[in-house]
Amino acid sequence: MIRFLIRRLFTMAGTLVVVSALVFAIINLPPGDFLSNQIAELRATGQEASIAKAEFLRKTYALDKSLPEQYLIWLGVWPGPEGFNGLLQGEYGWSFEFDRPVGEVVGETLWLTVVVNLAAVLFIYLTALPLGAIAAVKANTWIDYLAAFIGYIGLATPNFLLALALLFYGNRYLGLPIGGLMDPEYEGKAMGMGKAWSVFLHLIVPVIVIGTSGAAAMVRRLRANLLDELSKPYVITAQAKGVPHATRVIRYPLRMALNPFVADIGNLLPSLVSGSVLVSVVMSLPTIGPTLLGALRSQDFYLSGFILMFVSALTLFGMLISDILLALLDPRIRFSSRTRN
Amino acid sequence: MSAPAVLSVKDLSVSFGAGRSETRVVHDVSFTLRQGQTLALVGESGSGKTITGKALLGILPKGARVTMGMAHLVAENSVDVSGPNEPGPECDLLHMTRKELRDVRGRRVSMIFQEPMSSLSPLHTLGAQVMEAVRLHTTHRGAEAQARCLHMFEEVGFPDPRRAFNAYPFELSGGLRQRGMIAMAMVCRPQIMIADEPTTALDVTTQAMVLDLINRLQAETGMAVLMITHDLGVVANMASSVVVLRKGEVVESGPARAVIGEPRHGYTKALVAAAPIIPEMVPVKGLHDPEITPIMRARNLSKTYITRGSGLSQKTMEIQALSDVDVTIARGETVALVGESGSGKSTVANLLLRAERPDDGAEIEFCGRDGLKQDIARLEGNALKAFRRRVQVVFQDPFASLSPRMPVQDILTEPLRIHDVGNAAEQRDRAVELMRRVGLSPDHLRRYPHAFSGGQRQRICIARALALKPELILCDEPTSALDVSVQAQVLDLLREVKEDYGLSYLFISHDLAVVAELSDRVAVMRRGRIVEEGPVESLFSNPMHPYTKALIAASPEPDMDRPLDLNAVAQGAGEPHTWPEPFGYVSGQAPGMVEVDHRHFVRRAA
């Protein structure tokens, strides 16, 4: 197991390096960069002092160097104008648009993004597991049809519409707060009980909105998997042994049907991050999605590059977790390496 | 016969569906199961024998229900110290509440199934699965329960009970898995064990040992066994009485000796007649003229598979699937490769077809009708494609080897299209001709495979193999998925087309009876080597190698006076190094082949 983990971590690091090269190449695909655009604009309006600053930034961030060099400097494996100073050293670069370091711009939104998405994943699993299992066991009864109906609504309704509707009714009947991820009084404050509670209240609607379609898809998938397993011979063996119905379903076929369910964790994270951009805009959530959109549009490449790297790392991490869980859940996966050796 | 009855089933009827779409699959079946005896429920597929067994435990598949009848289970006469306070009362298995039924399942009536791999959960250790039965039905917990399981594992013959306890099913061989199933069924000392084709998926030597185990456990505990099987050989070895089912109805029942020895009903007679028997004397078949140029001659066939271990070290391991196998097939001859699973017989077929490449040093010489000799091991490109026209295959499972989305006509003309033979009209004519040849109506060419029965599908597979007018056909267990009555017909067809088209066969099988009937020469394989080879009449009348003897001894026959010879099985069925002198492999080295009779070779020290 330890060796498996070490191997996985190695491949993960390798993948990240490849991803970083891809990210860098893609951001640099459109001609020009933020600074040259800005310099051209300033020249046109004749603000020489600002041009000097822009030129200074250009030097500092090595934008006058060749692309491969820029890439290596960005990574932090090549000495730039200020020595080794890149992602590896924890220096994320400068956001030209906001005129602040990337770390500062991204700041809290990074962790709020993680919180929102983890909450959404949790919501998806907690609703999909029981609903999917019940839908399979009671296949083709009214419970199954009801679950399918709710699922289709979740899949078919546009997220932002659902967001608006839920915000309105949630506020009107339950007094749930609208917009943002916390009350304004807590912004910029240290974490405390009050702040946590406020974040929790604000999370309810976004999590439901972001998670519903994922949960609906997951319910359908789990139902199909479990239906296949329910009539397998080993379930009949358990029945012939005298195992009560509920125990029988949970202990045997459900565990078998969990594999694809668990393997989905890795795929879920990135689709949640990119899928929640629109919702974040509509609900004015301080998550990373809208920032990424802006950064890509204005070619603010340190900012967009960092966010893309962060999302990739998150995805790889999700994959790692699902691999570990799979190995824990299924002895066949765990043993496949041992028996071959 | 005067043993007290344990279970009396009266007028059991089971139906699928309800109302107008109701189909009865079991009609008024009655029988009595007696203490310490085995009753066999015999029938071919679709006879309702499995449904009958499942109905007794209330584990019918969805849509099936008992419409009539009763199954009277007598009260337990003693109670296990660890069990519930009172002995199980007299009851009717078909009319019980769910909770009462759960108490009966696994404790008073237990069941084992055909496929031990899929009948055990792959995610739980064998121990955990057996412990579950103990925990459900007894007061034993923890160490006490575990001790009980380990004791049971020992009784069913696990060489290392503790290892088996912690093993997952996929880590065990088929025979051990089925022993695990039996342990699970027996651990609560049931009054009745229902065994649904318990040995059908196992190799013959393993089957013999598992059947012996069931007999022994029955003698020790006095439980009654309901044996559901299609194999009259198993019946003759196990049962004291027999119920023959056909399309859900009892056609004949009575003591085993009477039913098998002197069957009265036409269907039973047909079943007994069709049951495969290994003849003691096989009539001399071909001339075995060594002068005839062989159509295929393979020398030094070896195949090593390399598995890559995972982990940082990437340690590799070699598995020798085949070592120095020589096969020669004369034109017009049928050569059989016989062996149990893992013996390497299918690997030989794959190499001869060039589906896989042999290890270096192998020679495969093919000599077609045109007299041209080719080395198959080195063929490439167009020459290889041309070779494929001349050698065709018939596979084991006619359900899996026909595409369900192609009508029969497309299936039969596809080889012609691939090799560009004739135009569309000619291809169609060829398909019609082939259908007639294999005994199917050309009117059915537009139908899809699902519209045909297993035997008919295998006929389609044979027709497909014949489409390109091949010279050699490899038959990979062509009849082992079929009912016995159908099996005989398919073998007849194979024999006929061989005459008609002047074919040669390489026949791969684990079934000695089938081999004896069809082949001219037989090679017996074990662990990647041929251990005995000879003309069929000499091999069966005078088997020399302990493994060949074990195979013959382990094949159950529908003859009450020929019980399985377990000593012979035990002597030959083990690993090569356990074989007695002079056959054993000494320190991994196999002895050479020695000619003991005219063209009859045995692997033994000279």
Side-chain angles (χ1 to χ4, degrees), chain A residues 3 7 233-234 236-237 239-244 248 251-252 255-256 329-332 334-335 337 340-341, chain B residues 59 102 105-106 113 118-124 129 132-133 136-137 168 170-171 184 308-311:
Chain A
R3 273 178 49 187
R7 199 174 71 236
Y234 64 86
I236 297 171
T237 306
Q239 195 181 6
K241 226 187 318 185
V243 184
R248 195 196 318 149
R251 193 172 296 165
Y252 296 101
R255 260 195 72 182
M256 286 287 273
L329 267 179
D330 193 333
R332 286 168 303 179
R334 191 161 70 236
F335 279 62
S337 54
R340 258 184 284 150
N341 274 342
Chain B
I59 54 172
R102 274 210 301 273
R105 289 176 189 158
F113 301 90
S118 51
S119 301
L120 288 167
S121 163
L123 301 180
H124 300 81
Q129 296 184 55
E132 188 180 33
L136 278 168
H137 298 297
Y168 289 94
F170 56 85
E171 296 179 278
M184 190 158 85
R308 177 126 35 98
S310 52

Side-chain angles (χ1 to χ4, degrees), chain A residues 47-62:
Chain A
Q47 294 173 336
E48 295 298 324
S50 307
I51 291 178
K53 188 188 174 199
E55 287 291 348
F56 166 73
L57 284 175
R58 232 178 126 81
K59 281 246 153 49
T60 325
Y61 288 97

Side-chain angles (χ1 to χ4, degrees), chain B residues 188-297:
Chain B
C188 296
R189 299 280 169 207
Q191 291 168 280
I192 298 171
M193 180 162 87
I194 303 175
D196 186 0
E197 303 266 11
T199 55
T200 307
L202 305 176
D203 283 327
V204 274
T205 52
T206 318
Q207 159 168 301
M209 291 185 266
V210 169
L211 290 179
D212 174 55
L213 169 70
I214 295 176
N215 267 338
R216 229 180 43 222
L217 289 173
Q218 183 180 32
E220 275 168 30
T221 63
M223 70 174 173
V225 174
L226 179 63
M227 178 72 91
I228 298 170
T229 183
H230 71 280
D231 189 338
L232 287 174
V234 170
V235 175
N237 273 285
M238 302 290 290
S240 43
S241 42
V242 181
V243 173
V244 184
L245 283 181
R246 185 195 188 190
K247 292 186 179 152
E249 281 176 89
V250 177
V251 295
E252 186 164 358
S253 65
R257 189 170 285 278
V259 173
I260 292 179
E262 301 161 51
R264 305 261 166 129
H265 191 277
Y267 181 68
T268 320
K269 280 181 191 162
L271 268 189
V272 173
I277 295 178
I278 301 174
E280 265 162 40
M281 291 301 280
V282 182
V284 177
K285 290 189 176 167
L287 287 170
H288 302 308
D289 185 355
E291 297 309 307
I292 302 176
T293 358
I295 183 168
M296 182 86 98
R297 178 204 300 246

